[in-house]
Amino acid sequence: MKADDFTQNGEVRNLLDALRQRIRGREFSDILDASGNQYVDLVMEGGGVLGIALVGYTYVLEEMGIRFLGVGGTSAGSINALLVASMAPPAAKKSGRIIEALANLPLWDFVDGGNGVQRFVRALLLKAWTPLIVLSGLTVAHRVFRFLGLNPGGRFQQWLSSILKGAGITSALDLKNRMAQLPAGLRKRTGEPLSVDDAAAHLAIVSADITTETKAVFPEMAALYWEGSEEKDPALWVRASMSIPYFFEPYLAEHIPRGSGAILLWNRSLQKAQFPALVDQFLG
């Protein structure tokens, strides 16, 4: 399957043409660039495999002249959020490239918990004879009790890393520099100059820290979990966010930064979240 199978589909093209007519001249944002693109913030929720539909949604928005300065997401939404931020600078269309990456998404490869897990998942998908589901489930139940999930999620992370690498992104610093490429002629609709904060592109990948029972937002809080966080692969943030209960194991951050510097960072972060007392619990 190719991206053109969707983007050049006659029905899709007709719907896009009709939508352009309906929104012609409408204002959706007070921030524009020299090409007349309008800039909004985009937040995407989870939804498992159904999250693939988010790519079609952003594709339509881009075709309507909408671009994104602030992008956020969790679980399946975090995948599209990271790809929108990574594939090209903010002014460029990205969804076509994302669709191309997803067109032949090897979903079955992500079932990487071994043969027993594959048999169990296949039985569920095929709605096999109930005793067969129970028997195959019993053979893999130990993985859920021991690892809190059936699949390690390593192949998913490798796939996402390869997509990012193909776009020239191998580290958080690479992504930061790409998002810092401001669109030409970015301005308010009134002609007033933008503040530094208004003009800067932002990314927020939302996860849950089950140790401290708090929200974790990346890249903002990446330094709390990884030494040298700017050199880490951004795919780690999505892997931490899309740990589907019982299907994927929760992501385990090892060698978390410690010491006075880490305590100071945690204090600041958790005070923001109104959970300062959890610092001692987390750092021991």
Side-chain angles (χ1 to χ4, degrees), residues 14-65:
N14 289 337
L15 288 171
L16 289 175
D17 290 340
L19 187 56
R20 288 190 185 95
Q21 294 298 321
R22 288 186 61 184
I23 69 167
R24 187 183 301 276
R26 291 185 61 178
E27 298 179 1
F28 298 98
S29 171
D30 63 350
I31 299 178
L32 308 170
D33 66 14
S35 299
N37 295 314
Q38 304 184 60
Y39 287 79
V40 301
D41 292 339
L42 178 66
V43 179
M44 292 167 281
E45 64 181 1
V49 175
L50 295 179
I52 293 175
L54 293 169
V55 184
Y57 181 69
T58 52
Y59 172 74
V60 172
L61 289 175
E62 287 184 342
E63 289 297 306
M64 298 303 111

Side-chain angles (χ1 to χ4, degrees), residues 1-3 49 51-56 79-80 83 87 95-107 110 156 159-160 163:
M1 183 177 178
K2 297 181 179 179
V49 175
I52 293 175
L54 293 169
V55 184
I79 303 172
N80 199 42
L83 292 176
M87 298 300 277
S95 295
R97 295 182 63 184
I98 299 173
I99 292 170
E100 190 70 53
L102 295 179
N104 296 295
L105 182 65
L107 289 174
F110 298 161
F156 167 83
W159 170 80
L160 184 57
I163 299 300

